[in-house]
């Protein structure tokens, strides 16, 4: 509300990028700063001309990955990680409000559902991908802490061109393959594409073929490029996907 009183922030016409050193310095800040303090740091990049999508992919996403690495290395506990991810999520939400997309709905409309793997503790990745797709004209929905029954009921009742699963922790490939098969068996749309992503998949892209998924990508913007290529038949993709 405070931001809205001053009118929408203006982004310079020149588009700047996030320096890797800046991203590295920002990575651990969610453990030390509150959400409003993080937002102040991020707004400085936006004022400099960094695109919103770059903030998501090149600043917030690496920070979330760093928190996961610190947890795995016992550098912080589960509460620290949860609070850090919550702060990043709040920053992302404020950016979405203060810097709304100017892209209109896709014609024809394209719809996507995003969620973390049922049983995963965090959904930051799914929320970020959903936001990137929404900013680019897709009709999107996201499930927070989904249950398997809830997921299957939704895909059976609603049409989705794409279902995106993020996997932040290791899970048996058999369980993932069975879930993908179940989604396809009940999907209202027989042409629904199922993409998977997250640390487990980035570490071993061969999982895509093993679980019969339709593709993967290393980050949210690449996910969007893959969807535009495979589903809408538009766009250009310079990376290799399954």
């Amino acid at each position: 509300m405070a931001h809205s009183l001053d009118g929408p922030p203006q982004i310079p016409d020149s588009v700047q990028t996030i320096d890797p050193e800046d991203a590295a310095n920002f990575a651990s800040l969610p453990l030390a700063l509150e959400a409003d303090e993080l937002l102040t740091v991020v707004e400085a990049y936006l004022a400099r001309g960094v695109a919103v999508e770059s903030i998501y992919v090149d600043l917030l996403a690496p920070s979330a990955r760093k928190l996961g690495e610190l947890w795995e290395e016992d550098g912080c506990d589960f509460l620290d990680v949860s609070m850090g991810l919550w702060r990043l999520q709040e920053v992302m939400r404020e950016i979405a409000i203060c810097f709304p997309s100017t892209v209109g709905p896709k014609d024809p409309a394209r719809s996507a559902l995003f969620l973390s793997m049922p049983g995963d503790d965090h959904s930051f990745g799914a929320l970020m991908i959903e936001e990137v797709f929404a900013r680019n004209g897709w009709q999107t929905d996201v499930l927070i802490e989904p249950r398997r029954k809830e997921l299957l009921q939704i895909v059976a009742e609603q049409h989705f061109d794409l279902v995106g699963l993020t996997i932040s922790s290791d899970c048996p490939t058999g369980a993932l393959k069975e879930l993908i098969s179940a989604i396809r068996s009940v999907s209202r749309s027989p042409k629904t594409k199922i993409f998977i992503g997250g640390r487990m998949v980035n570490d071993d892209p061969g999982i895509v073929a093993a679980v019969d998924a339709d593709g993967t990508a290393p980050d949210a913007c690449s996910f969007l490029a893959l969807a535009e290529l495979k589903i809408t038949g538009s766009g250009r993709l310079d990376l290799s996907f399954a």
Side-chain angles (χ1 to χ4, degrees):
M1 291 178 65
H3 287 288
S4 66
L5 292 176
D6 297 326
Q10 299 298 314
I11 301 178
D13 292 334
S14 60
V15 177
Q16 303 296 319
T17 58
I18 297 291
D19 186 275
E21 184 177 351
D22 289 340
N25 291 334
F26 181 88
S28 60
L29 291 183
L31 294 175
L33 301 182
E34 295 298 332
D36 58 340
E37 297 172 308
L38 282 176
L39 182 60
T40 298
V41 175
V42 169
E43 285 177 334
Y45 288 106
L46 290 166
R48 199 177 71 191
V50 176
V52 170
E53 286 81 359
S54 181
I55 293 291
Y56 290 163
V57 173
D58 301 323
L59 199 67
L60 303 188
S63 181
R65 286 194 293 271
K66 180 63 175 180
L67 293 179
E69 292 170 1
L70 289 173
W71 181 29
E72 292 173 355
E73 298 165 359
D74 293 327
C76 59
D77 60 26
F78 181 79
L79 179 59
D80 290 332
V81 172
S82 296
M83 288 302 300
L85 290 175
W86 177 83
R87 290 163 182 154
L88 289 174
Q89 182 176 322
E90 284 296 295
V91 169
M92 185 168 62
R93 185 181 68 85
E94 288 296 327
I95 293 173
I97 294 172
C98 296
F99 297 88
S101 173
T102 58
V103 177
K106 290 289 182 183
D107 184 21
R110 296 295 181 179
S111 57
L113 173 68
F114 299 102
L115 66 149
S116 57
M117 183 71 179
D120 271 6
D121 295 310
H122 301 296
S123 56
F124 181 77
L127 288 166
M128 174 172 289
I129 295 174
E130 186 270 339
E131 174 62 21
V132 168
F133 272 70
R135 291 184 65 83
N136 283 273
W138 284 62
Q139 295 178 355
T140 61
D141 199 357
V142 62
L143 297 180
I144 307 299
E145 298 182 1
R147 297 180 180 272
R148 174 190 169 91
K149 181 178 180 180
E150 175 191 13
L151 165 61
L152 296 180
Q153 182 177 350
I154 288 175
V155 297
E157 294 176 350
Q158 301 180 38
H159 168 86
F160 293 106
D161 296 294
L162 166 66
V163 174
L165 280 165
T166 62
I167 309 160
S168 61
S169 57
D170 293 336
C171 75
T173 55
L176 180 56
K177 182 175 182 178
E178 193 279 330
L179 179 61
I180 290 173
S181 177
I183 292 172
R184 286 202 173 99
S185 69
V186 302
S187 175
R188 183 172 179 179
S189 172
K191 295 183 178 180
T192 297
K193 298 292 185 182
I194 301 176
F195 296 163
I196 59 175
R199 182 187 59 80
M200 175 179 167
V201 186
N202 290 342
D203 290 345
D204 182 12
I207 291 174
V208 176
V211 301
D212 294 331
D214 294 303
T216 188
D219 58 58
C221 290
S222 298
F223 244 86
L224 176 65
L226 178 62
E228 296 286 0
L229 184 69
K230 283 201 169 187
I231 297 174
T232 71
S234 64
R236 179 184 175 192
L237 198 63
D238 296 322
L239 302 174
S240 297
F241 296 99

